Amino acid sequence: MSLKHVLLGCLYKKPATGFRLKQMVDGSISHFWSAELSQIYPTLKKMQQESLVTCNAGTRDKVYHITDTGRGELLQWLRSPTELAQQRDAFMVKVYFGSLLRDEEVSRVIDDCGRRHRARIAEYTEALELGNSMLKDLSPHEVRDFRIKLLTLRAGIESEKHWASWCDEAAAEVAQMTAAVAKGKGEKGAPIRA
Amino acid sequence: MSLKHVLLGCLYKKPATGFRLKQMVDGSISHFWSAELSQIYPTLKKMQQESLVTCNAGTRDKVYHITDTGRGELLQWLRSPTELAQQRDAFMVKVYFGSLLRDEEVSRVIDDCGRRHRARIAEYTEALELGNSMLKDLSPHEVRDFRIKLLTLRAGIESEKHWASWCDEAAAEVAQMTAAVAKGKGEKGAPIRA
DNA sequence: GACATCATGTAATCCGTTACATGATTTT
DNA sequence: AAAATCATGTAACGGATTACATGATGTC
């Protein structure tokens, strides 16, 4: 369970309520992880049982603090090797079975997806520029921390660019198939290249 | 639920048993989707209730056939726009909170991930070459189908390449931070660029 | 006083994994 | 006869989403 580690990371430097943690997750973390409050609250309870966090409950708020056990758990996890995530990509499923559609329909679905990725590039790029502009006001220690966090944004932008350009290439390939069929049926075309 | 659509896609051209469907999913589909038998069997049952498939049960096997309703559902889904998947990326979580580790540790975790991605590039590239070599034996209609399927492999290779090179860049950035600190504390470094 | 925000939860449901259980058919 | 493969399931659990329910505090 990795939400646990997200919450430990958020709590590492300062205590927070479940509600506040949700807001952190909805910030820059949302680019690669998300969680609902209805998932966060039970998770915090479980983490308390595992002594990863303690809870200072006031009248109104329940403020969670990370424990030494929690710090240890997070650091150990951060150092551990990362299995490549088994990804489920509904869009790839669509492409894989896309030959059931006519060429124009395949192209449309691919182009539509490309447009979505391009919108994200713009969004992430803006966030990165904002982040870079904030570097100058930070202390040397904060700078390192912040620069490392910005690397995740770069990854997001590059990933979106990769997908946007794949969509362009794939749409072009499909268009070429249409053209090949129009000319002469026997065409096999050039091999698909990486 | 997209497993439903995967199964509909597999059943579109020919009937199959649950077991056989599992083997199809474990083939080239496994690069972007996976499912266990224990998930496939109940899903088929549900799909039968929804009239997406019918079941010809022999003594031994239960052979599932797609219905017209099923074909309609699949085609409609294939044509529908694709929301960008909200991704959960544990590796990005590690990088985001990576500043809690020493530079060498961050580099090691990133390099390790890069190595895994490079292994996948090799694996997928081999599969793509095999696929390309099979094109020549196919009928014109099969060629189009197969070429479109190969596009998913290209996407996989490009995606892995993107991640491998991000890992290189990120490790280099972290090394630069180490160097910057060794020279003079006040360094903020160049902005992070996409 | 009304509205937004802060705050905490429960219940139902879904999708997916792991472990367990069973047995028929085919190959060696 | 033993082993591999084909074949079908159930049970328990984990992680996540959606809908529902409640109420306190701060702001206009």
Side-chain angles (χ1 to χ4, degrees), chain B:
Chain B
M1 197 207 326
S2 209
L3 172 59
K4 197 156 76 174
H5 299 111
V6 170
L7 298 179
L8 287 173
C10 291
L11 290 171
Y12 200 92
K13 291 182 177 176
K14 59 177 192 299
T17 65
F19 194 84
R20 179 75 196 110
L21 287 166
K22 163 68 172 163
Q23 291 176 329
M24 292 189 208
V25 171
D26 283 348
S28 43
I29 293 174
S30 68
H31 298 127
F32 46 84
W33 206 272
S34 71
E36 298 304 317
L37 271 170
S38 60
Q39 193 193 354
I40 290 172
Y41 287 122
T43 302
L44 284 169
K45 229 174 222 173
K46 233 182 296 170
M47 288 166 73
Q48 196 181 353
Q49 283 161 23
E50 297 173 71
S51 302
L52 298 171
V53 296
T54 56
C55 178
N56 279 12
T59 343
R60 188 164 123 82
D61 301 1
K62 287 188 170 178
V63 182
Y64 287 92
H65 300 248
I66 194 169
T67 63
D68 285 347
T69 310
R71 286 207 168 80
E73 164 63 31
L74 178 62
L75 291 175
Q76 198 189 332
W77 180 75
L78 285 175
R79 288 181 187 116
S80 70
T82 314
E83 296 301 319
L84 298 193
Q86 217 305 114
Q87 48 195 347
R88 292 198 154 65
D89 190 332
F91 179 58
M92 284 297 101
V93 175
K94 273 190 199 183
V95 172
Y96 190 83
F97 294 116
S99 59
L100 297 171
L101 301 178
R102 291 191 309 273
D103 286 344
E104 321 92 72
E105 293 178 305
V106 181
S107 298
R108 189 174 44 73
V109 168
I110 292 175
D111 280 340
D112 176 74
C113 197
R115 235 168 291 123
R116 286 163 202 266
H117 284 296
R118 260 176 260 280
R120 281 232 179 136
I121 296 174
E123 185 192 326
Y124 288 178
T125 302
E126 201 176 341
L128 180 60
E129 273 161 23
L130 180 66
N132 273 322
S133 74
M134 289 167 71
L135 277 173
K136 62 179 188 308
D137 302 321
L138 300 177
S139 72
H141 176 256
E142 287 171 324
V143 163
R144 174 178 177 270
D145 184 284
F146 201 73
R147 286 177 68 88
I148 290 181
K149 289 193 190 335
L150 285 184
L151 291 176
T152 64
L153 256 181
R154 177 198 267 176
I157 292 170
E158 284 178 359
S159 176
E160 296 300 335
K161 280 184 180 170
H162 142 67
W163 278 110
S165 74
W166 180 88
C167 286
D168 289 348
E169 292 160 16
E173 288 280 354
V174 173
Q176 217 175 309
M177 291 179 205
T178 316
V181 168
K183 273 194 212 164
K185 292 278 181 183
E187 285 299 320
K188 301 267 160 109
I192 302 289
R193 292 273 167 239

Side-chain angles (χ1 to χ4, degrees), chain A residues 95-96 98-104 106-107 110 166 168-193, chain B residues 132 135 139-152 154:
Chain A
V95 173
Y96 189 83
S99 57
L100 297 172
L101 301 179
R102 291 191 309 273
D103 285 345
E104 321 92 73
V106 182
S107 298
I110 291 175
W166 180 88
D168 290 348
E169 292 159 16
E173 289 279 353
V174 173
Q176 216 175 309
M177 290 177 207
T178 315
V181 168
K183 272 193 212 164
K185 291 276 179 185
E187 285 298 320
K188 302 267 161 110
I192 302 291
R193 293 272 167 238
Chain B
N132 273 322
L135 277 173
S139 72
H141 176 256
E142 287 171 324
V143 163
R144 174 178 177 270
D145 184 284
F146 201 73
R147 286 177 68 88
I148 290 181
K149 289 193 190 335
L150 285 184
L151 291 176
T152 64
R154 177 198 267 176

Side-chain angles (χ1 to χ4, degrees), chain A residues 1-10 73-74 77, chain B residues 93 97:
Chain A
M1 196 208 325
S2 209
L3 172 59
K4 197 157 76 173
H5 299 112
V6 170
L7 298 179
L8 286 173
C10 291
E73 165 63 30
L74 178 62
W77 179 75
Chain B
V93 175
F97 294 116

Side-chain angles (χ1 to χ4, degrees), chain A residues 71-90:
Chain A
R71 288 207 166 82
E73 165 63 30
L74 178 62
L75 292 175
Q76 198 189 331
W77 179 75
L78 285 175
R79 288 181 186 117
S80 69
T82 314
E83 296 301 319
L84 298 193
Q86 219 306 114
Q87 48 195 347
R88 290 198 157 67
D89 190 331

Side-chain angles (χ1 to χ4, degrees), chain A residues 113-167:
Chain A
C113 196
R115 233 168 293 122
R116 285 163 203 266
H117 283 296
R118 259 176 260 283
R120 281 233 180 136
I121 295 174
E123 187 191 324
Y124 289 179
T125 301
E126 201 177 341
L128 180 60
E129 271 160 24
L130 180 65
N132 273 322
S133 76
M134 288 168 71
L135 277 171
K136 62 178 188 310
D137 302 320
L138 300 176
S139 72
H141 177 256
E142 286 170 325
V143 165
R144 174 177 177 269
D145 183 283
F146 201 72
R147 286 177 67 88
I148 290 181
K149 290 194 189 332
L150 285 184
L151 291 176
T152 64
L153 255 182
R154 176 199 270 174
I157 293 170
E158 286 178 358
S159 176
E160 297 299 334
K161 280 185 179 170
H162 141 68
W163 278 110
S165 73
W166 180 88
C167 287

